[in-house]
């Protein structure tokens, strides 16, 4: 992977790898989601750290 981005899908946020020669918008669309920002992470672990700090996209389910 060239880099990783965080996207939003119907099921919440997830991390998607962007292959060499592609772009973040295309990778997000192919994964069935939308790019939430244009931040690029050099490792999956770096993206995981950021994802863990994001608020839940489904706050109404946080108490379940």
């Amino acid at each position: 992977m060239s880099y990783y981005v965080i996207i939003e899908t119907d099921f919440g946020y997830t991390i998607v790898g962007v292959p060499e020669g592609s772009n973040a918008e295309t990778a997000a669309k192919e994964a069935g989601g939308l790019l939430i920002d244009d931040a690029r992470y050099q490792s999956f672990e770096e993206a995981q750290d950021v994802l863990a700090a994001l608020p839940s996209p489904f706050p109404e389910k946080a108490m379940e």
Side-chain angles (χ1 to χ4, degrees):
M1 292 297 134
S2 179
Y3 58 92
Y4 296 87
V5 293
I6 298 174
I7 67 168
E8 184 175 2
T9 70
D10 290 340
F11 305 104
Y13 298 129
T14 192
I15 299 168
V16 174
V18 180
E20 191 72 37
S22 187
N23 64 47
E25 289 85 11
T26 301
K29 186 181 280 187
E30 288 175 354
L34 299 172
L35 190 62
I36 62 168
D37 64 19
D38 198 24
R40 297 174 181 191
Y41 305 101
Q42 298 305 310
S43 71
F44 186 83
E45 291 77 18
E46 181 184 10
Q48 275 185 313
D49 289 345
V50 173
L51 182 59
L54 290 176
S56 171
F58 304 110
E60 67 278 2
K61 294 183 179 182
M63 299 305 288
E64 292 181 3

